[in-house]
């Protein structure tokens, strides 16, 4: 096989556009790159400035270059008898065919392969398949991105990496891939077919580092072979060791591994305070700012407590991200510095683990919704099975439709065969559960914590001591889980997975299987299935109609939420239901009755078929169908609870998006006050709960958290300690907070012309003074959009690029990466950028906060909480709105200084911080930066002086 790797740079991406540069790398049969060809091409028209900005190719570069015809005379002979390869090859292939046609050659008729497909399949865990990212991941030289010869060479190297990877796979995996692609007549099918033939002709040399089971190669052994970290017969390693002695051994080990390690006062206090609370069975609220090293601050005492007392400690984080960070970064370090063996396990929600039985079933039955994409995803996962030890979806970069595919193969309790499943000993979910069972410390997330509570503690191993990191989110997560959240598609997905049409869905699959069965009752059962179809169609039609009618109740205003444009919200109140609500509840009642009937008949059918038909294929299918019926039963109850609207302690509301209308309908029913439930479920039950975060106090007091989390009783009884750790950074030297005191103010979520133009000018001036490297936080997406284009225009001449959340379809992670990688850029973000964004060092020098982050007062949950406070004769603004906004403000401020070397500026454009009576709560809650207010035009000189400055002027 000889490959020609092709790349064009063009004046645009329409077929009428012109080629301005070509790059071609030839890979010979022996996999050496024998030739790299590159040439500019004179397009005969001016190159658009945007393309020059992207590629660096200017009109001067191509002025003397060969014409298209001259270039093609050189290129065409090199395309003889090759497999054509490109990164997103359809683009280059399109231009190639056009050029061949225009220059009078025959079209290219050889095989075509895309390196994006290969990279996805061979490296399923890469975070990005963009050429620059791939090159840097493999350490390949790619010095001139968006230049054709450099791109072609980088693509050739990427292809060689994929071929190397495929060479190392066992024959069984290659056979699986070849079978998977066999049905479609594609060049990938041809490629894997050839690869299989090659491998089958070699002497068998399947590597030993795989487990082979049911025609799959896996990276794992049976989980039943996993043993605890220490032998039970052995003496407890901490029997004679005090916490101080243990910590001094840990510190010595740390110094050996990290010579630059210095103990930090704040972290030392944290070790002591966490240990004290765990030992004395107390609860603890501990605020630990950035740079404290709080993960180690709670993990080291937790390991000591757990091993010494032989009782598990549970650790819960808010985001999967932080769970991953603990797994990737902190646990490996702890394994090296803790002076005895211990086990820390990460345990997530069940839907994060692959169900091997469902996956096998899906592939064997080729149960694909969108075959072209699904086959690539299935191929990715077949190779991933030879690499993964956890089966956790966070390791996979599925992209596109991958989420829908994952839903059909992820583990769930309703369709689990348990010990009866042939995959049981290999099962990823049971592996994670077993590992959590034998671990000393289990790291889970807030979501799983509440799912476990709702499932009567059947999911997590039992624990008496709990550490809650990112604890400022606990109340929100509790509300979501102790309440209800239902989407239009939640119901539709379940219905269509059962029955999409006579050929697609789990019920038609069972019907097909029964038709080939010789069982005497097979005919009877198919009749039952046929009778279920019309009922399922009726439910879908009624649900569509109900969703339309509910959407019709939403106000036609796009201002209801600070999020996206066109987001509608409507609160429903038990005391004043919308008019005609009765007719809606009648429709809900019909759904309730029909679904009750469907679920009853479905359950009887599945249990009968399972008992009488001994067939593993059918067993597997019936389990899945049974699971779907259980889901329908749950949707039926949830819908009834929502539509009955009868609980005064619950706030009910609906949300939808103007663009997707009733298809985007979401229903919420959340307890107004979760403090009572948190107290009852956690603080009264558990011996010791440590709550930590960088933002727990407001104006140096923890009272807001104590009230909202249900800790007042514990506090009154002396069962609660509170600690605010000193900051490890010197904020007076490292951070300067500026407030332009003459800045125009703004009402609502939109700025007027004067506000927007003043803001754009000031941001542009500040960006130039800090050479880009600026993060701008908005509280409303609409205002972000008002600022994005004008700011881009003002900065276009100064080589500073502007990135905006939601402006070009990039995900948050991609935007942050692009911001870090570019030498000068301004990043505009809304709500999700206020926290969890970690950009240390030079990449971020200036943080601008446009408005104080108050929640929109008309959000149903905020409204309901305010009403409750008014009934208690408390001031909702001071008790709820201000503390919430202060905590968010502190989170935003925390983006700036991430290490002891960082130095930067925060600009607050909201003059309420110095003009209003409540402004002081915001400023006093910060960890002591230097604060100054001045006229807007004085800011830029002050910024320049602070950053580069002559300190003597002060």
């Amino acid at each position: 096989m000889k490959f020609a790797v092709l790349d064009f740079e063009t004046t645009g991406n329409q077929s009428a556009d012109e080629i301005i540069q070509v790059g071609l790398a030839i890979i010979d049969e022996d996999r050496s790159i024998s030739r790299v060809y590159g040439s500019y091409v004179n397009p005969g028209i001016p190159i658009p400035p945007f393309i020059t900005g992207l590629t660096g190719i200017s009109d001067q570069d191509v002025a003397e270059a060969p014409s298209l015809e001259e270039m093609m005379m050189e290129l065409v002979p090199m395309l003889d008898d090759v497999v054509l390869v490109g990164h997103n090859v359809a683009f280059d292939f399109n231009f190639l065919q056009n050029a061949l046609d225009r220059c009078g050659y025959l079209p290219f008729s050889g095989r075509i392969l895309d390196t994006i497909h290969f990279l996805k399949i061979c490296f399923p865990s890469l975070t990005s398949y963009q050429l620059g990212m791939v090159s840097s991941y493999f350490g390949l030289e790619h010095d001139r991105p968006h230049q054709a010869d450099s791109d072609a060479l980088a693509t050739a190297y990427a292809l060689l990496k994929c071929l190397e990877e495929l060479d190392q796979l066992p024959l069984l995996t290659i056979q699986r891939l070849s079978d998977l692609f066999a049905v479609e007549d594609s060049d990938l099918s041809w490629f894997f077919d050839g690869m299989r033939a090659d491998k089958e002709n070699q002497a068998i040399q399947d590597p030993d580092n795989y487990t082979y089971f049911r025609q799959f190669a896996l990276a794992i052994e049976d989980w039943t072979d996993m043993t605890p970290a220490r032998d039970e017969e052995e003496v407890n390693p901490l029997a004679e060791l005090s916490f101080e002695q243990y910590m001094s051994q840990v510190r010595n080990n740390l110094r050996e591994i990290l010579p630059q390690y210095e103990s930090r006062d704040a972290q030392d206090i944290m070790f002591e305070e966490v240990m004290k609370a765990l030992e004395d069975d107390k609860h603890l609220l501990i605020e630990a700012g950035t740079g404290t090293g709080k993960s180690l601050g709670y993990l080291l005492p937790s390991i000591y407590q757990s091993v010494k007392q032989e009782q598990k400690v549970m650790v819960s984080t808010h985001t999967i991200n932080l769970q991953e960070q603990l797994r990737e970064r902190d646990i490996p370090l702890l394994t090296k510095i803790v002076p005895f063996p211990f086990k820390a396990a990460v345990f997530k929600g069940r839907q994060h683990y692959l169900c091997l039985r469902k996956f096998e079933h899906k592939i064997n039955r080729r149960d694909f919704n969108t075959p072209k994409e699904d086959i690539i995803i299935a191929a990715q996962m077949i190779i991933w099975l030879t690499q993964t030890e956890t089966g956790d979806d966070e390791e996979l970069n599925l992209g596109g439709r991958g989420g829908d595919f994952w839903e059909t193969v992820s583990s769930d309790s309703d369709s689990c065969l348990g010990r009866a499943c042939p995959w049981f000993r290999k099962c990823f979910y049971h592996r994670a559960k077993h590992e959590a069972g034998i671990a000393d410390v289990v790291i889970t997330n807030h979501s799983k914590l509440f799912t476990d509570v709702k499932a009567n503690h059947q999911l997590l191993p039992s624990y008496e001591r709990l550490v809650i990191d990112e604890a400022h989110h606990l109340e929100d997560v509790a509300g979501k889980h102790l309440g209800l959240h239902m989407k239009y598609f939640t119901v539709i997905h379940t219905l269509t997975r059962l029955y999409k049409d006579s050929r697609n869905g789990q019920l038609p699959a069972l019907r097909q299987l029964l038709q080939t069965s010789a069982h005497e009752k097979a005919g009877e059962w198919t009749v039952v299935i046929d009778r279920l179809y019309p009922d399922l169609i009726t439910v879908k039609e009624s649900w569509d109609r109900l969703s339309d009618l509910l959407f019709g109740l939403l106000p036609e205003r796009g201002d209801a939420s600070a999020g996206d444009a066109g987001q509608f919200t409507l609160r429903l109140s038990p005391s004043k239901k919308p008019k005609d609500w009765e007719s809606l509840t009648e429709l809900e009642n019909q759904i309730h009755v029909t679904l009750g009937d469907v679920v009853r008949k479905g359950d009887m059918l599945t249990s009968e078929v399972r008992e009488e038909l001994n067939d593993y294929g059918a067993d597997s299918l019936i389990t899945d169908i049974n699971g779907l019926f259980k889901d329908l039963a749950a949707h039926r109850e949830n819908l009834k609870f929502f539509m009955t609207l009868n609980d005064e302690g619950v706030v009910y509301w609906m949300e939808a998006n103007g663009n997707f209308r009733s298809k985007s309908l979401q229903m919420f029913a959340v307890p107004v006050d979760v403090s009572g439930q948190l107290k009852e479920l956690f603080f009264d039950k558990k011996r010791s709960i440590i709550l930590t975060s960088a933002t727990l106090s407001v104006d140096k007091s923890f009272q807001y958290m104590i009230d909202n989390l249900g800790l007042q009783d514990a506090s009154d009884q002396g069962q609660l300690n509170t600690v605010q750790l000193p900051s490890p950074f010197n904020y007076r030297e490292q951070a300067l907070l500026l407030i332009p005191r003459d800045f125009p103010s703004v009402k609502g979520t939109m700025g007027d012309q004067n506000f927007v133009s003043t803001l754009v000018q000031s941001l542009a001036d500040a960006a130039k003074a800090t050479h880009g490297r600026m993060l701008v936080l908005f509280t409303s997406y609409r205002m972000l959009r008002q600022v994005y284009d004008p700011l881009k225009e003002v900065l276009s001449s100064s080589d500073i690029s502007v990135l905006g959340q939601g402006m070009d379809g990039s995900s948050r992670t991609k935007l942050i990466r692009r911001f870090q990688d570019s030498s000068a850029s301004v990043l505009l973000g809304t709500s999700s950028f206020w926290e969890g964004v970690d950009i240390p060092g030079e990449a971020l020098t200036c943080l601008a906060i446009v408005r104080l982050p108050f929640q929109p007062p008309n959000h149903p949950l905020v409204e309901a909480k305010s009403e409750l406070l008014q009934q208690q004769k408390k001031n909702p603004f001071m008790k709820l709105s201000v503390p919430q906004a202060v905590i968010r403000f502190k989170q935003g401020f925390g983006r700036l200084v991430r290490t002891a070397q960082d130095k930067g500026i925060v600009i607050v454009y909201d003059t309420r911080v110095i003009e209003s009576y409540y402004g002081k709560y915001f400023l006093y809650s910060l960890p002591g930066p230097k604060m100054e207010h001045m006229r807007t035009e004085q800011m830029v000189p002050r910024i320049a002086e602070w950053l580069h400055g002559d300190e003597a002027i002060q």
Side-chain angles (χ1 to χ4, degrees):
M1 241 182 269
K2 186 174 170 190
F3 300 101
V5 185
L6 180 67
D7 187 79
F8 288 126
E9 299 303 329
T10 58
T11 55
N13 47 17
Q14 302 304 315
S15 48
D17 289 315
E18 298 290 337
I19 294 171
I20 52 176
Q21 192 190 22
V22 60
L24 187 79
I26 300 287
I27 302 177
D28 283 338
E29 279 91 346
D30 63 356
R31 295 198 187 166
S32 62
I33 297 177
S34 60
R35 175 157 191 204
V36 180
Y37 164 78
S39 170
Y40 286 125
V41 180
N42 186 334
I45 56 166
I47 297 174
F50 162 70
I51 296 291
T52 300
L54 180 72
T55 60
I57 301 172
S58 65
D59 290 330
Q60 291 91 318
D61 292 327
V62 297
E64 304 294 312
S67 67
L68 182 69
E69 283 76 9
E70 292 166 334
M71 181 277 288
M72 291 298 281
M73 281 170 68
E74 293 191 354
L75 184 71
V76 170
M78 291 187 267
L79 296 179
D80 188 32
D81 198 26
V82 294
V83 177
L84 189 70
V85 178
H87 197 69
N88 202 355
V89 72
F91 173 88
D92 304 288
F93 180 64
N94 198 1
F95 275 95
L96 175 66
Q97 295 294 48
N98 260 345
L100 288 166
D101 188 40
R102 276 168 58 183
C103 301
Y105 295 97
L106 288 170
F108 179 84
S109 58
R111 302 281 183 184
I112 307 164
L113 296 173
D114 195 330
T115 41
I116 289 192
H117 290 155
F118 274 99
L119 285 161
K120 277 186 172 169
I121 293 169
C122 300
F123 299 100
S125 301
L126 273 185
T127 48
S128 159
Y129 296 114
Q130 186 224 345
L131 194 54
M133 292 294 188
V134 169
S135 300
S136 68
Y137 175 79
F138 289 131
L140 307 172
E141 269 185 40
H142 184 207
D143 43 0
R144 292 171 295 116
H146 300 297
Q147 291 255 332
D149 51 346
S150 179
D151 279 358
L153 193 57
T155 305
Y157 282 129
L159 177 68
L160 290 171
K161 277 280 176 208
C162 294
L163 296 176
E164 266 172 45
E165 194 67 15
L166 290 169
D167 285 343
Q168 291 164 19
L169 289 172
L171 171 62
L172 186 58
T173 302
I174 300 294
Q175 287 169 331
R176 270 282 180 190
L177 291 169
S178 159
D179 289 344
L180 188 64
F181 287 102
V183 179
E184 52 169 50
D185 176 28
S186 70
D187 292 340
L188 270 173
S189 163
W190 162 83
F191 174 83
F192 281 110
D193 200 42
M195 187 146 200
R196 174 188 196 146
D198 275 359
K199 211 153 179 102
E200 284 175 347
N201 288 333
Q202 295 167 11
I204 289 194
Q205 43 187 325
D206 271 358
D208 300 337
N209 44 348
Y210 298 108
T211 304
Y212 301 99
F213 188 68
R214 297 183 71 86
Q215 303 300 300
F216 286 95
L218 308 170
I220 48 166
E221 302 283 339
D222 289 6
W223 57 258
T224 42
D225 301 338
M226 290 169 85
T227 53
R230 296 170 311 282
D231 198 346
E232 284 173 18
E233 271 70 75
E234 282 176 27
V235 178
N236 187 319
L238 291 175
E240 303 297 318
L241 212 58
S242 70
F243 184 61
E244 287 66 38
Q245 293 167 315
Y246 157 80
M247 282 309 296
S248 90
Q249 290 185 11
V250 165
R251 286 194 182 97
N252 290 338
N253 294 343
L254 257 173
R255 281 187 202 98
E256 272 179 31
I257 293 172
L258 307 169
Q260 73 280 23
Y261 169 78
E262 300 164 3
S263 72
R264 286 170 265 188
D265 292 350
Q267 195 181 43
D268 290 345
I269 300 169
M270 186 163 180
F271 290 143
E272 297 302 325
E273 291 291 347
V274 172
M275 194 61 234
K276 199 163 80 186
L278 289 171
E279 262 179 349
D280 301 349
D281 291 352
K282 296 260 181 86
H283 302 317
L284 168 69
L285 278 168
I286 183 162
E287 183 173 78
T290 318
T292 309
K294 71 174 187 307
S295 310
L296 291 189
Y298 59 70
L299 284 170
L300 280 163
S302 297
I303 292 168
Y304 178 84
Q305 168 70 26
S306 150
V307 173
K308 178 129 187 165
Q309 304 301 331
E310 297 178 356
Q311 288 176 338
K312 226 173 273 315
V313 175
M314 189 66 62
V315 173
S316 178
T317 69
H318 171 54
T319 53
I320 300 278
N321 258 354
L322 185 61
Q323 248 182 314
E324 288 300 307
Q325 191 180 307
L326 295 176
R327 185 207 306 263
E328 303 288 314
R329 196 184 68 189
D330 297 312
I331 295 174
L333 174 65
L334 287 165
T335 312
K336 292 180 189 152
I337 59 173
V338 170
F340 49 82
F342 72 94
K343 194 170 196 61
V346 171
F347 195 22
K348 299 184 182 175
R350 187 160 189 160
Q351 73 285 359
H352 287 288
Y353 299 99
L354 176 71
C355 169
L356 286 158
R357 175 187 65 75
K358 285 189 187 175
F359 182 61
E360 174 190 32
H361 195 64
K362 189 178 181 82
I363 287 185
N364 291 351
R365 291 218 0 259
R366 305 191 68 79
D367 176 10
F368 300 134
N369 275 341
T370 45
K372 263 200 159 31
E373 291 174 59
D374 285 5
I375 284 177
I376 298 278
I377 297 169
Q380 260 185 299
M381 288 169 75
I382 286 172
I383 288 193
W384 178 57
L385 287 179
T386 67
Q387 302 163 353
T388 181
E389 294 181 8
T390 61
D392 175 346
D393 65 341
E394 295 293 316
E395 296 177 0
L396 273 172
N397 179 354
L398 292 170
R401 313 266 325 217
D404 296 345
F405 186 102
W406 181 263
E407 254 181 43
T408 63
V409 294
S410 64
S411 176
D412 70 284
S413 54
D414 290 337
S415 67
C416 179
L417 289 173
R419 293 180 178 282
C421 178
W423 287 100
F424 181 65
R425 288 160 170 270
K426 304 277 185 293
C427 171
F428 290 116
Y429 170 71
H430 283 100
R431 163 179 303 270
K433 191 172 179 173
H434 173 71
E435 198 173 353
I438 58 173
D440 302 299
V441 173
V442 178
I443 297 164
T444 186
N445 51 54
H446 300 354
S447 232
K448 178 103 181 165
L449 213 53
F450 286 101
T451 318
D452 176 57
V453 167
K454 281 173 81 172
N456 293 324
H457 306 288
Q458 298 295 303
L459 305 177
L460 290 170
S462 65
Y463 60 95
E464 289 293 319
R465 292 178 173 77
L466 168 66
V467 177
I468 296 179
D469 197 348
E470 300 170 295
H472 59 285
H473 285 293
L474 189 67
E475 187 193 357
D476 278 354
V477 179
K480 282 192 183 109
H481 280 269
L482 301 171
L484 164 146
H485 177 197
M486 200 173 174
K487 301 178 184 175
Y488 166 79
F489 274 115
T490 320
V491 179
I492 293 296
H493 272 330
T494 314
L495 289 170
T496 47
R497 280 181 60 195
L498 263 175
Y499 171 75
K500 193 172 181 186
D501 51 49
S502 58
R503 301 238 304 285
N504 294 302
Q506 303 286 45
L507 279 174
L510 179 61
R511 191 180 186 287
Q512 247 175 330
L513 195 133
L514 290 173
Q515 279 179 317
T516 57
S517 148
H519 197 282
E520 58 197 27
K521 284 195 174 173
E524 240 177 85
W525 293 329
T526 43
V527 172
V528 177
I529 293 176
D530 289 341
R531 285 194 187 137
L532 284 173
Y533 293 168
D535 285 350
L536 289 167
I537 292 168
T538 308
V539 169
K540 184 185 179 303
E541 285 167 355
S542 306
W543 173 240
D544 278 338
R545 203 159 75 250
L546 181 60
S547 299
D548 275 339
L549 292 167
L550 288 170
F551 180 80
L553 296 174
L554 292 169
E556 284 291 319
R557 292 269 336 273
D559 215 14
S561 144
D564 303 332
Q567 190 73 19
F568 306 134
T569 305
L570 173 70
R571 182 174 166 199
L572 297 163
S573 140
S575 47
K576 33 183 206 296
K577 296 174 178 162
K579 64 176 196 315
D580 301 336
W581 189 253
E582 275 67 46
S583 62
L584 295 180
T585 47
E586 271 170 36
L587 186 52
E588 179 273 323
N589 207 34
Q590 289 169 19
I591 295 177
H592 194 81
V593 173
T594 317
L595 270 183
D597 211 32
V598 166
V599 170
R600 204 182 59 255
K601 287 179 185 156
D603 281 347
M604 278 166 59
L605 170 77
T606 49
S607 58
E608 216 176 285
V609 176
R610 171 173 286 149
E611 266 173 40
E612 304 205 16
L613 196 72
N614 277 333
D615 172 350
Y616 167 67
D619 248 12
S620 183
L621 191 53
I622 284 162
T623 306
D624 291 344
I625 291 172
N626 214 5
L628 291 168
F629 281 131
K630 281 185 187 156
D631 289 345
L632 280 183
H635 301 332
R636 172 176 177 256
E637 292 313 311
N638 285 344
L639 185 58
K640 173 66 80 193
F641 173 74
F642 182 83
M643 297 292 293
T644 316
L645 287 187
N646 64 355
D647 189 335
E648 290 289 350
V650 168
V651 52
Y652 300 88
W653 78 95
M654 300 188 293
E655 284 179 21
N657 178 296
N659 304 334
F660 301 104
R661 306 192 68 78
S662 65
K663 301 274 183 283
S664 62
L665 188 73
Q666 305 190 57
M667 304 171 182
F668 297 86
V670 173
V672 181
D673 179 11
V674 290
S675 61
Q677 281 161 288
L678 285 173
K679 172 182 181 307
E680 190 188 323
L681 294 168
F682 289 102
F683 301 114
D684 290 354
K685 289 253 170 70
K686 303 294 173 195
R687 287 184 170 194
S688 166
I689 297 184
I690 317 285
L691 299 113
T692 181
S693 155
T695 50
L696 290 174
S697 67
V698 175
D699 192 19
K700 313 281 184 272
S701 150
F702 285 100
Q703 197 52 48
Y704 171 71
M705 281 296 166
I706 290 172
D707 289 343
N708 283 26
L709 297 178
L711 279 162
Q712 191 58 58
D713 276 9
S715 177
D716 295 345
Q717 292 156 13
Q719 277 299 100
L720 175 70
N721 301 342
T722 59
V723 179
Q724 198 175 4
L725 296 173
S727 168
F729 298 143
N730 182 347
Y731 277 98
R732 274 196 79 68
E733 298 293 315
Q734 289 183 258
L736 170 67
L737 181 104
L738 297 179
I739 303 150
R741 58 169 177 256
D742 56 350
F743 211 76
S745 58
V746 67
K747 295 269 180 285
T749 57
M750 300 280 275
D752 57 25
Q753 204 33 60
N754 175 35
F755 176 82
V756 172
S757 56
T758 316
L759 178 62
V760 167
Q761 197 47 58
S762 176
L763 287 173
D765 295 342
K768 288 173 191 165
T770 59
H771 310 299
R773 304 205 296 267
M774 180 172 183
L775 174 63
V776 186
L777 295 176
F778 291 84
T779 51
S780 106
Y781 185 59
R782 305 177 65 160
M783 200 182 286
L784 184 153
R785 287 171 58 168
Q786 282 181 296
V787 168
Y788 179 75
D789 285 327
L791 182 62
K792 223 174 161 144
E793 206 166 298
V794 179
L795 287 175
S796 60
S797 57
S798 57
D799 278 352
I800 296 174
S801 59
V802 178
L803 306 169
Q805 180 186 357
M807 301 313 283
D808 64 354
S810 291
S811 69
R812 175 180 127 152
T813 327
K814 274 197 183 133
L815 279 173
I816 293 168
R817 203 180 289 130
R818 278 169 59 193
F819 177 66
Q820 278 174 304
D821 289 347
S822 78
S823 53
S825 59
V826 177
L827 174 56
L828 314 181
T830 63
S831 48
S832 64
F833 282 81
W834 282 77
E835 62 175 290
V837 174
D838 192 3
I839 309 171
E842 288 291 295
L844 181 61
T845 306
C846 180
L847 172 76
I849 292 177
V850 176
R851 306 280 318 278
L852 294 176
F854 283 104
Q855 288 251 25
N858 53 1
H859 187 281
L861 196 53
V862 179
E863 242 176 38
K865 285 184 179 213
S866 303
E867 288 160 15
L868 184 68
L869 287 165
Q870 272 162 339
Q871 288 163 19
Q872 298 165 351
K873 303 279 185 286
K874 292 176 182 166
N875 174 346
F877 184 69
M878 292 310 293
K879 282 280 180 207
L880 178 71
S881 304
V882 170
Q884 272 186 343
V886 167
I887 281 176
R888 202 121 184 82
F889 181 73
K890 284 170 71 173
Q891 282 285 347
F893 177 85
R895 297 312 101 215
L896 185 70
V897 177
R898 309 297 294 174
T899 70
Q901 283 70 48
D902 289 356
K903 185 167 182 172
I905 287 140
V906 178
I907 305 172
V908 179
Y909 283 107
D910 194 330
T911 50
R912 290 178 294 180
V913 288
I914 46 176
E915 287 166 359
S916 68
Y917 67 95
Y918 55 80
K920 59 174 192 272
Y921 292 110
F922 288 87
L923 299 178
Y924 290 162
S925 293
L926 295 176
K930 196 171 178 52
M931 300 188 198
E932 299 175 8
H933 55 86
M934 55 191 63
R935 291 200 314 283
T936 308
E937 74 266 15
Q938 294 171 306
M939 286 201 312
V940 169
R942 182 67 185 106
I943 288 174
E945 178 195 352
W946 165 262
L947 284 179
H948 313 295
D950 183 0
E951 300 297 336
I953 300 174
Q954 289 186 11

